[in-house]
Amino acid sequence: MSNRDQIQNYLYEEIMTGIKQYIESNQLNQGDQIPTEAELCEIFQASRISIRRAIKELVDEGVLQIIRGKGTFVNTFRKEIHLLHFQGYTEGLTTKSDFITKDIISIEKIKGTPHINHKFDNKFDEYIELVRKVYRNNQILSLDYAYFPTALYPSIENKITSESSTFKIINDEYGINFKKVCKDLEFVHPTEVVQKHLEVNRMTPIILVDKIIYNEESIPVHYSNYYLIADRVKLRLETDY
């Protein structure tokens, strides 16, 4: 490969990164149009050949979509979620390039259903139910249901805000340390309630993640299930041998 080819290859990769940063910094959502090739040439001070190659690669990645006669548009920009990370759900989403926000739909005291009680090994019968929507760069990403036994977390409902980390509250305010987490995943059709909150239809692919966290005595101390819009995320597994 000639030095000229190496420079061009390096340049188009930089442009790819630059276009992704442009999408995020301008908070473009799926369906929004990006600048034209000529405008991108001006923005990145690059040749049309380099711009076209960068766009082609981003189309292949699924970041962009070309509509003939109309232009180039933002496609589904998937958020990577590491399934084996042992941290709070929204903490695991946060990166320098992502703007993660939470909107509390409801927070109330409830009596345990047989399903919820079973998740806690029938050790508790009353819980605080927290329902939140999670946004990534102002785009809905998921709907989260979390359950906190009132016997373990008295008055936790007064400590939770849209900005707070429930994991940090559990650790710092109640002195509970986590030892093990179990997650079950399945593809589901969204219920009417889930459709409403996620603003999707019944045929939209949804990933349901069911999560139980245990303390150092192997007692279940936290249960949650969250609904992810499948085409907005990619799931990652990584572990050491």
Side-chain angles (χ1 to χ4, degrees):
M1 181 183 294
S2 68
N3 288 337
R4 181 178 178 181
D5 289 337
Q6 289 178 332
I7 292 172
Q8 286 183 341
N9 284 338
Y10 178 68
L11 186 57
Y12 93 80
E13 290 173 351
E14 278 199 331
I15 294 169
M16 287 175 63
T17 300
I19 291 174
K20 289 179 180 179
Q21 291 173 345
Y22 179 93
I23 291 170
E24 296 196 355
S25 63
N26 288 276
Q27 297 184 10
L28 299 185
N29 294 317
Q30 183 178 6
D32 291 339
Q33 188 170 9
I34 69 167
T36 65
E37 286 185 2
E39 290 169 335
L40 290 172
C41 288
E42 288 293 325
I43 292 171
F44 296 107
Q45 293 294 294
S47 69
R48 193 174 290 264
I49 292 174
S50 295
I51 294 295
R52 284 179 177 171
R53 180 164 184 188
I55 290 174
K56 179 184 181 301
E57 294 291 334
L58 290 174
V59 169
D60 291 342
E61 284 187 12
V63 175
L64 298 177
Q65 177 185 25
I66 297 174
I67 300 178
R68 300 301 175 187
K70 293 186 177 181
T72 305
F73 299 82
V74 177
N75 204 356
T76 304
F77 199 19
R78 296 177 181 244
K79 173 63 180 175
E80 183 176 277
I81 296 178
H82 197 320
L83 292 176
L84 298 184
H85 275 173
F86 189 57
Q87 56 191 150
Y89 168 52
T90 54
E91 288 84 353
L93 296 175
T94 304
T95 66
K96 290 182 179 179
S97 61
D98 284 323
F99 180 56
I100 303 297
T101 55
K102 295 165 285 188
D103 179 20
I104 294 178
I105 297 171
S106 65
I107 180 168
E108 58 183 342
K109 187 178 295 183
I110 66 167
K111 284 294 183 181
T113 65
H115 173 76
I116 296 172
N117 290 340
H118 174 71
K119 295 295 182 179
F120 284 96
D121 291 344
N122 295 306
K123 295 182 182 296
F124 311 102
D125 59 8
E126 185 181 74
Y127 309 89
I128 296 300
E129 179 190 63
L130 171 65
V131 185
R132 300 180 297 183
K133 279 199 287 190
V134 178
Y135 296 79
R136 177 191 179 223
N137 300 332
N138 297 316
Q139 183 183 56
I140 298 174
L141 185 68
S142 68
L143 177 66
D144 178 21
Y145 289 80
Y147 298 91
F148 308 88
T150 55
L152 290 180
Y153 310 110
S155 301
I156 193 172
E157 67 272 22
N158 299 322
K159 304 176 187 294
I160 297 173
T161 68
S162 58
E163 290 80 29
S164 62
S165 162
T166 55
F167 267 40
K168 185 172 176 59
I169 291 172
I170 289 173
N171 291 151
D172 295 351
E173 300 288 334
Y174 297 95
I176 293 178
N177 297 315
F178 303 139
K179 179 67 174 180
K180 183 178 74 171
V181 60
C182 295
K183 296 180 182 179
D184 293 319
L185 282 76
E186 62 178 312
F187 282 89
V188 299
H189 289 297
T191 64
E192 288 186 5
V193 172
V194 174
Q195 290 176 53
K196 175 184 175 182
H197 287 308
L198 293 182
E199 299 177 15
V200 298
N201 60 53
R202 174 168 166 72
M203 300 310 296
T204 302
I206 298 293
I207 301 171
L208 171 60
V209 181
D210 198 86
K211 180 173 70 175
I212 305 174
I213 297 177
Y214 298 84
N215 67 5
E216 294 170 325
E217 288 76 40
S218 297
I219 297 172
V221 293
H222 178 68
Y223 169 60
S224 67
N225 50 66
Y226 48 95
Y227 298 84
L228 296 160
I229 301 176
D231 65 4
R232 295 181 186 175
V233 299
K234 59 179 179 179
L235 306 179
R236 181 183 176 206
L237 291 169
E238 180 181 341
T239 186
D240 295 328
Y241 281 105

